[in-house]
Amino acid sequence: MAILNSTETGTLASSGDFHREERTLGSSAVPPSRQKALLLHEKGQRYELSNDYAVPEIQSDEEVLIKVQYIGLNPIDWKSADYGFGIPSFPYIAGRDLVGTIVQCPHPSPNSSVPSPLRQVRVGDVVFTASTDYRDQRKSAFQHFAIASCSNISRVPKSVPRVNVAGIGVAFVAAVLAMGVCFGCDFGTVATRQANSEDDEMGPNLRQILHHDVQPEVLSADVRDECLHGIEEGQEPKKGEWILIWGGSSTTAQIVAQLAKMVGLRVILVVDVGKHGEKLSVGDKGLLVDCHDEDRAVAIVKSVTKGTLRFAVDAVGKSTAQVAQNCLRQNEEDDRSISHLVGLSGLPKETVPGIKHHNVPVKVFHEVPKVGGRIMRWLEGLLKDGMLTLPETDVVVGGIECINKALDTMRRGEVSGKRLVIKV
Ligand SMILES: NC(=O)c1ccc[n+]([C@@H]2O[C@H](COP(=O)([O-])OP(=O)(O)OC[C@H]3O[C@@H](n4cnc5c(N)ncnc54)[C@H](OP(=O)(O)O)[C@@H]3O)[C@@H](O)[C@H]2O)c1
């Protein structure tokens, strides 16, 4: 397994503001019927290479077929193999983040529900997706060809190397849903630099979309309450308010921090300051706190925020989520000003009065095209305008055969403050 830094290889024909590849399938115009894929046959085993797996097929006019070029690895990729998280059946194809070229694109019907700007994708466009729909293995990343919904893809701007977006899809989706749905932040006030009066160029107001543009029964029962009643109108964070992010060096946390700053919040990142202090920026009014002495970290956060902290995200696990909870204001008297804690990787066992727990309702990204479409359209604009700092990326060369070894380095905690990306 060879690891390179993140410079792009191969020649690309670019047109307009976005990467394109003119010859997507070499001399052939049609995709092959068989491909290489990595299969998990049982929980606790390693992923096994199949050289003869069926290429997935488009099933609706809202889907495209992508020839995968880079795969971004997420912690869930080794956790699902080890613990069986999010595996509907075996053999299972994992992998959530990918970049590649569109090789097949149906003609959408006039009454397609996909937001119109995203229907403009064409064969040859270089796109990336966050495959959050783990039940649909046609969309998984650990294979040479994958399906994606049009509402779940962004084109890759010319100004950004393809490899650098390979590891941000899932992290961005989780971050924007945590901030926009669980905390109710309105990104409609955040314009990309080329913004004009068109809605699409502004950030989404996800709470408004979910409340007003989507029938409640469209939302899956297990996320409906979070989507519609996660936070009441008027409770969202106000400009200048603090947000605490525990595990602030993770990719998702870094995106949460950037989104929080875009809506005017002051950010506290709890991290290993010795490892990450030099690189991480919290802005003029933010604060970096070391994670090693948790009691001391809580005391610092409480003192700096004068006991008024209402918003926290934990990006590590149950036990640090409990510590993050201890930093929050606990106002039992006033229901209208409760505090909110998002656990990306688990929440404290017990709830306490005055603090509400939130899980990120990730499935609205793929189940509600209007939500997914607005998120990916905005992300495309943010990238094009250089408004998002992307995680540092290490590229692993050697194809999907190298994924097991790359995941081992993540299991051992050796990948710190960066993303691993596989070159297919
Ligand atoms: N619910 C969802 O939909 C969703 C979506 C995305 C991610 N997640 C979860 O969110 C978590 C973060 O994901 P990611 O992809 O952003 O992770 P990542 O980029 O791989 O980063 C993990 C980071 O956590 C830091 N960390 C570990 N233990 C810590 C501690 N005790 N205190 C402070 N920092 C600590 C590590 O820092 P060091 O380098 O200093 O060790 C590392 O930088 C994962 O558990 C993932 O499964 C959930």
Side-chain angles (χ1 to χ4, degrees):
M1 178 176 102
I3 296 183
L4 307 175
N5 68 11
S6 62
T7 41
E8 203 169 359
T9 51
T11 27
L12 262 188
S14 299
S15 99
D17 292 327
F18 298 94
H19 285 302
R20 280 186 49 74
E21 273 190 0
E22 296 306 339
R23 273 185 298 153
T24 55
L25 292 168
S27 54
S28 167
V30 284
S33 58
R34 314 299 293 178
Q35 61 162 344
K36 281 189 184 182
L38 271 197
L39 304 180
L40 184 71
H41 291 281
E42 247 181 77
K43 182 177 109 178
Q45 290 189 350
R46 293 177 79 73
Y47 293 106
E48 268 182 35
L49 182 69
S50 164
N51 286 306
D52 188 32
Y53 199 79
V55 168
E57 288 178 9
I58 286 174
Q59 285 176 359
S60 84
D61 62 12
E62 297 180 1
E63 293 180 345
V64 293
L65 181 67
I66 296 170
K67 185 179 179 195
V68 180
Q69 294 166 339
Y70 294 99
I71 298 166
L73 299 183
N74 284 280
I76 190 70
D77 297 331
W78 67 263
K79 289 181 193 171
S80 58
D82 290 8
Y83 308 118
F85 295 162
I87 298 186
S89 60
F90 292 105
Y92 177 65
I93 305 179
R96 308 272 65 96
D97 273 325
L98 66 92
V99 182
T101 309
I102 295 181
V103 291
Q104 225 175 36
C105 219
H107 297 292
S109 65
N111 46 9
S112 161
S113 60
V114 178
S116 57
L118 282 170
R119 281 200 239 138
Q120 290 166 5
V121 289
R122 293 180 286 159
V123 167
D125 282 346
V126 178
V127 295
F128 67 103
T129 183
S131 162
T132 54
D133 192 359
Y134 64 90
R135 289 179 189 280
D136 187 348
Q137 295 184 48
R138 296 176 309 133
K139 297 175 179 165
S140 299
F142 293 177
Q143 52 189 336
H144 279 195
F145 290 87
I147 296 289
S149 297
C150 287
S151 55
N152 289 161
I153 57 180
S154 285
R155 292 169 298 174
V156 184
K158 271 207 268 188
S159 51
V160 184
R162 289 169 291 174
V163 64
N164 288 8
V165 296
I168 63 153
V170 168
F172 187 86
V173 169
V176 78
L177 291 173
M179 293 298 294
V181 179
C182 303
F183 293 166
C185 291
D186 175 7
F187 297 108
T189 56
V190 184
T192 52
R193 292 199 182 115
Q194 272 118 49
N196 51 34
S197 58
E198 275 177 52
D199 251 11
D200 271 346
E201 304 292 347
M202 312 294 286
N205 183 339
L206 295 173
R207 185 170 54 181
Q208 197 173 46
I209 294 173
L210 289 165
H211 277 249
H212 302 295
D213 299 354
V214 177
Q215 296 298 321
E217 54 278 11
V218 167
L219 302 168
S220 291
D222 57 339
V223 296
R224 197 175 299 147
D225 194 51
E226 182 64 57
C227 291
L228 300 178
H229 309 293
I231 188 161
E232 299 307 326
E233 193 90 39
Q235 284 288 298
E236 60 282 348
K238 309 292 176 303
K239 270 198 172 130
E241 243 189 293
W242 289 102
I243 176 172
L244 167 71
I245 307 171
W246 205 288
S249 63
S250 79
T251 308
T252 315
Q254 281 300 296
I255 297 175
V256 171
Q258 294 183 63
L259 296 176
K261 283 189 260 175
M262 286 179 199
V263 292
L265 306 187
R266 289 189 286 174
V267 173
I268 303 174
L269 294 183
V270 180
V271 298
D272 181 333
V273 176
K275 260 197 219 171
H276 305 290
E278 197 187 342
K279 266 196 261 169
L280 292 180
S281 146
V282 281
D284 290 350
K285 294 180 182 152
L287 183 71
L288 213 53
V289 178
D290 189 67
C291 63
H292 282 101
D293 183 339
E294 291 179 346
D295 292 342
R296 176 81 184 130
V298 173
I300 293 171
V301 174
K302 281 187 157 173
S303 159
V304 169
T305 59
K306 301 187 176 58
T308 63
L309 183 73
R310 289 197 304 135
F311 297 94
V313 175
D314 175 79
V316 183
K318 248 183 204 169
S319 126
T320 51
Q322 175 68 57
V323 189
Q325 172 162 283
N326 296 342
C327 299
L328 288 166
R329 186 178 72 166
Q330 214 178 317
N331 188 348
E332 295 174 39
E333 277 84 54
D334 186 358
D335 265 6
R336 289 162 306 165
S337 63
I338 55 172
S339 298
H340 299 269
L341 172 65
V342 169
L344 287 170
S345 202
L347 282 159
K349 230 185 193 160
E350 312 271 324
T351 49
V352 292
I355 298 178
K356 184 164 184 179
H357 288 175
H358 299 261
N359 283 303
V360 180
V362 169
K363 58 171 64 161
V364 292
F365 175 68
H366 59 264
E367 287 186 352
V368 185
K370 188 142 197 180
V371 169
R374 284 300 309 276
I375 289 173
M376 292 311 270
R377 173 84 176 146
W378 188 46
L379 176 54
E380 197 175 85
L382 291 173
L383 292 172
K384 191 163 136 226
D385 290 347
M387 291 173 68
L388 205 62
T389 304
L390 297 174
E392 197 183 312
T393 300
D394 275 349
V395 189
V396 178
V397 229
I400 62 174
E401 292 87 333
C402 290
I403 287 178
N404 279 314
K405 277 194 180 160
L407 292 176
D408 285 342
T409 63
M410 293 172 71
R411 278 187 182 93
R412 294 193 296 265
E414 290 167 13
V415 182
S416 174
K418 60 171 77 160
R419 272 293 197 241
L420 273 191
V421 168
I422 307 293
K423 185 175 188 319
V424 176

